[in-house]
């Protein structure tokens, strides 16, 4: 018998969520699953009022629930009332503030005692897979490549997403399906191991398993599917692909998709490839908080925490598709700034990692940013700026030329005009604030877990049952073939 499981969609783009709900509800229904669907919305009250009706118009077979601005505020009031300490209220609000990590922290609290599977609002439950998969080498976990949208030899395939998570979450390694490989961690040929920063533009990559003994009694606490569509590469690489493609006029046009040639499931002691956009969690006894930040590295805490003895991570036997919505997305220059600061913080926190506990981590980094740190960042960005200026000078299409020049100007503004002193000063202030917030949040989190366990046992946290219509019509079989087991050819 399966443990209770909730499927969550964290979002700040409520307008697009109904499409996501429909896609996953159909996938779950086709595969015989009844599951609670929950939307955790970081929209402003005005945006919520504008688009909430779209959820009510979305037919589903599974019950749909909503946690938006009003419900979140009511939840925070419950926490603060039980804490009864006004000095801690700013820390509580920081942990749950509108942000990548703050919204995900709501999903953790609302699903205490359960399994949690979460997909971002621009994910879809199918994958772009090569029709004639090639064999993988002995330690190769997956192989993928960038292809054109209409390139022959690739097609959409659908998987039983929930079954693949049920197979692993909360289970000891000795009870996993026999097709799982086991090892220390996975290495991506296109990425730095510990920060996941890409090593430059590449059109092909593979994941390889680093050998290591996995304890048979270790429990799978986090898991993820593989991902196709828009690959997990840095904003710098998207820009470089744009600069190299003379036929691409607009920077936000997506001219290539990432497709998998083949893949197979694996369980590892460490997981530097943790992808919370397609993640699953054993939340029976509580988990560490996501970093409450607007920087895009909220899940990095899990890459550090999973190194704790007795717990392991898994890449499951299914794949999803990332559509990379450009709606309400920051401009490329802002995304690049975000990633540079995130990578700086990842290195600093990882290098000073101390003890890990059941509900968190400890690290010694105090927020100091050196001139050498900021100069290394500026050197990389100045080089990108020069590549953009060169591409603009040879652009034949006037619209493309204007677009590249606009990007170059935006990049210079985002990095404070490349002024080393001004940049160093502002980065130092930003990092100091972020680190102090992280440490305070980690200290408070175990107390909040205890409060929420008790409160949830008495009464469900504030949420709205969406007044949409429950579909009773038979679910249509999708056009693309259903793949309920691994298609890997080893």
């Amino acid at each position: 018998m399966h443990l209770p499981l909730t499927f969550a969609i964290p979002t700040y783009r409520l307008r697009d969520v109904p499409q996501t709900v429909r896609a996953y509800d159909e996938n779950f229904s086709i595969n015989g699953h009844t599951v609670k669907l929950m939307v955790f919305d970081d929209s402003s009250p005005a945006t919520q009022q504008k688009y909430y009706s779209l959820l009510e118009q979305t037919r589903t077979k599974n019950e749909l629930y909503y946690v938006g601005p009003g419900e979140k505020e009511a939840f925070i009031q419950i926490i603060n009332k039980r804490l009864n300490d006004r000095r801690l209220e700013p820390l509580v609000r920081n942990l749950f503030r509108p942000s990548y990590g703050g919204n995900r922290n709501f999903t953790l609290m609302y699903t205490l005692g359960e399994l949690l599977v979460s997909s971002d609002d621009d994910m879809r439950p199918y994958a772009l897979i090569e029709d004639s998969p090639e064999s993988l080498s002995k330690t190769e976990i997956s192989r993928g490549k960038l292809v054109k949208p209409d390139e022959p030899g690739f097609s959409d395939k659908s998987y039983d997403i929930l079954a693949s998570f049920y197979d692993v979450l909360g289970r000891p390694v000795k009870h996993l399906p026999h097709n799982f490989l086991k090892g220390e961690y996975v290495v991506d040929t296109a990425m730095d191991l510990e920060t996941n920063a890409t090593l430059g533009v590449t059109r092909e990559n593979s994941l390889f398993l680093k050998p290591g003994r996995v304890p048979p009694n270790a429990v799978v606490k986090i898991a993820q599917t593989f991902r196709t569509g828009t690959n997990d590469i840095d904003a710098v690489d998207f820009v470089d692909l744009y600069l190299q493609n003379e036929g691409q006029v607009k920077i936000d046009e997506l001219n290539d998709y990432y497709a998998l040639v083949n893949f197979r499931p694996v369980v590892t002691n460490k997981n530097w490839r943790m992808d919370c956009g397609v993640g699953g969690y054993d939340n029976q006894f509580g988990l560490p908080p996501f970093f409450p930040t607007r920087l895009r590295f909220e899940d990095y805490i899990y890459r550090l925490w999973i190194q704790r003895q007795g717990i392991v991570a898994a890449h499951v036997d299914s794949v999803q598709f990332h559509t990379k919505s450009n709606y309400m997305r920051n401009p490329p220059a802002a995304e690049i700034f975000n990633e540079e600061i995130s990578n700086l913080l990842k290195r600093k926190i990882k290098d000073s990692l101390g003890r890990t506990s059941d509900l968190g981590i400890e690290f010694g980094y105090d927020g100091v940013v050196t001139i050498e740190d900021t100069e290394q960042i500026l050197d990389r960005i100045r080089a990108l700026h020069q590549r953009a200026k060169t591409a603009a000078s040879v652009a034949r299409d006037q619209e493309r030329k204007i677009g590249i020049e606009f990007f170059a100007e935006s990049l210079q503004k985002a990095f404070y005009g490349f002024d080393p002193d001004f940049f160093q000063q502002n980065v130092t202030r930003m990092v100091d604030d972020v680190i102090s917030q992280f440490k305070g949040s980690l200290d408070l989190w175990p107390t909040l877990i205890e409060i929420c366990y008790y409160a949830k046992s008495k009464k469900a946290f504030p949420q709205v049952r969406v007044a949409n219509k429950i579909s009773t019509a038979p679910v249509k079989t999708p056009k693309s073939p259903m793949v309920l087991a691994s298609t890997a050819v080893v």
Side-chain angles (χ1 to χ4, degrees):
M1 183 177 179
H2 293 313
L3 289 167
L5 184 148
T6 294
F7 178 74
I9 303 174
T11 186
Y12 60 93
R13 300 177 288 211
L14 187 58
R15 188 193 72 176
D16 291 349
V17 169
Q19 300 172 33
T20 312
V21 168
R22 279 193 294 269
Y24 281 96
D25 178 72
E26 180 178 289
N27 177 276
F28 302 156
S29 299
I30 286 175
N31 290 292
H33 300 294
T34 300
V35 64
K36 184 177 183 180
L37 309 175
M38 293 195 76
V39 174
F40 289 85
D41 184 21
D42 254 356
S43 298
S44 66
T47 304
Q48 187 263 356
Q49 292 175 11
K50 184 176 181 180
Y51 294 116
Y52 180 77
S53 61
L54 297 179
L55 280 182
E56 296 179 314
Q57 298 166 22
T58 305
R59 286 178 175 266
T60 61
K61 281 189 169 290
N62 293 283
E63 291 190 342
L64 177 61
Y65 290 81
Y66 175 82
V67 179
E71 293 72 38
K72 289 182 174 183
E73 180 59 32
F75 171 84
I76 289 173
Q77 293 296 338
I78 291 172
I79 298 299
N80 285 334
K81 183 178 180 180
R82 292 186 179 272
L83 277 174
N84 195 29
D85 189 340
R86 299 191 66 178
R87 295 171 300 178
L88 297 177
E89 291 183 9
L91 274 179
V92 173
R93 291 197 174 275
N94 179 67
L95 264 165
F96 299 103
R97 69 187 180 129
S99 62
Y100 298 114
N103 200 15
R104 294 188 191 279
N105 286 336
F106 276 104
T107 71
L108 293 178
M109 288 307 195
Y110 272 68
T111 60
L112 276 172
E114 305 175 22
L115 303 182
L116 165 65
V117 172
S118 173
S119 289
D120 286 352
D121 56 26
D122 53 3
M123 299 303 306
R124 295 293 181 268
Y126 56 83
L128 187 61
I129 306 290
E130 189 168 49
D131 295 332
S132 301
E134 303 169 6
S135 295
L136 299 172
S137 66
K138 186 177 180 180
T139 60
E140 195 174 12
I141 304 306
S142 72
R143 190 182 311 153
K145 62 177 70 174
L146 290 176
V147 299
K148 298 300 179 185
D150 298 324
E151 188 166 328
F154 297 85
S155 58
D156 291 343
K157 295 183 180 180
S158 185
Y159 297 81
D160 188 341
I161 302 294
L162 289 187
S164 66
F165 281 112
Y166 277 130
D167 280 345
V168 301
L169 287 177
R171 294 178 178 269
V173 170
K174 62 185 177 184
H175 291 159
L176 299 188
H178 295 300
N179 61 332
F180 274 72
L181 294 186
K182 303 176 182 68
E184 188 65 16
Y185 54 81
V186 169
V187 178
D188 190 328
T189 59
M191 291 188 174
D192 174 74
L193 175 64
E194 295 174 340
T195 64
N196 271 354
T198 50
L199 302 176
V201 175
T202 178
R203 298 196 67 84
E204 297 186 15
N205 78 306
S206 292
L207 301 184
F208 286 95
L209 181 62
K210 179 73 172 178
R213 179 183 177 275
V214 181
N217 291 319
V219 175
V220 178
K221 298 298 289 186
I222 61 174
Q224 66 189 76
T225 68
F226 292 87
R227 179 161 83 162
T228 61
T230 304
N231 195 17
D232 187 17
I233 61 176
D234 291 349
V236 170
D237 295 324
F238 281 109
V239 171
D240 273 326
L241 287 170
Y242 167 56
L243 298 179
Q244 294 170 13
N245 185 355
E246 295 183 0
Q248 184 176 344
V249 175
K250 297 181 179 179
I251 197 168
D252 57 357
E253 291 175 347
L254 185 61
N255 291 322
D256 297 288
Y257 287 127
Y258 181 73
L260 279 182
V261 174
N262 208 337
F263 71 97
R264 54 184 169 181
V266 62
V267 60
T268 55
N269 292 319
K270 302 176 184 177
N271 182 17
W272 296 107
R273 295 285 295 126
M274 164 67 182
D275 184 350
C276 65
V278 289
Y281 311 85
D282 173 15
N283 198 20
Q284 296 178 74
F285 308 109
L287 292 166
F290 289 91
F291 285 142
T293 175
R294 291 186 175 90
L295 299 170
R296 282 187 176 272
F297 78 121
E298 71 275 15
D299 57 2
Y300 194 68
I301 185 173
Y302 279 87
R303 300 178 200 174
L304 302 174
W305 178 75
I306 200 61
Q307 299 177 45
R308 183 171 174 79
Q309 289 189 348
I311 59 174
V312 291
H315 281 67
V316 301
D317 209 1
S318 60
V319 193
Q320 299 182 65
F321 190 92
H322 185 219
T323 63
K324 196 179 189 297
S325 171
N326 287 316
Y327 169 59
M328 291 183 68
R329 187 176 290 275
N330 289 328
E335 292 285 356
I336 292 170
F337 179 86
N338 184 313
E339 288 175 356
E340 287 292 339
I341 305 304
S342 295
N343 288 333
L344 171 66
L345 286 167
K346 289 176 187 178
R347 290 190 293 270
K348 298 291 188 181
I349 294 173
K350 185 264 301 179
D351 289 344
S352 65
L353 181 65
R355 187 177 71 93
T356 60
S357 64
D358 290 341
L359 297 174
I361 65 171
E362 293 179 6
F363 59 89
Y365 178 54
D366 59 3
V368 172
V369 179
T370 67
I371 292 177
E372 290 76 15
D373 292 330
T374 52
E375 276 296 338
Q376 288 175 9
I377 294 174
L378 286 181
D379 285 346
R380 287 192 294 271
I381 302 307
R382 289 191 191 104
L384 174 61
H385 184 261
Q386 185 56 52
R387 294 198 296 275
K389 298 290 282 186
T390 300
S393 67
V394 299
R396 298 178 181 178
D397 185 280
Q398 186 63 22
E399 185 177 355
R400 171 175 164 82
K401 179 182 179 69
I402 293 171
I404 296 175
E405 289 175 341
F406 178 78
F407 164 74
E409 182 180 350
S410 300
L411 188 67
Q412 188 166 356
K413 289 180 179 178
F415 284 83
Y416 301 94
F418 302 146
D419 182 302
D421 295 334
F422 195 27
F423 181 66
Q424 204 275 338
Q425 175 179 291
N426 281 279
V427 169
T428 297
R429 290 174 177 172
M430 178 185 301
V431 168
D432 182 65
D433 287 344
V434 166
I435 292 300
S436 63
Q437 290 170 357
F438 285 179
K439 290 189 173 183
S441 298
L442 285 166
D443 288 342
L444 182 60
W445 186 255
T447 301
L448 299 188
I449 288 285
E450 185 177 347
I451 289 173
C452 288
Y453 253 123
Y454 178 79
K456 189 184 177 195
S457 69
K458 299 298 181 182
K459 185 179 180 181
F461 291 139
Q463 55 195 280
V464 173
R465 168 68 175 90
V466 179
N468 65 323
K469 292 185 178 180
I470 298 296
S471 176
T472 57
V475 178
K476 296 180 180 179
T477 302
K479 294 180 180 179
S480 52
M482 296 301 299
V483 181
L484 305 183
S486 174
T487 59
V489 178
V490 181

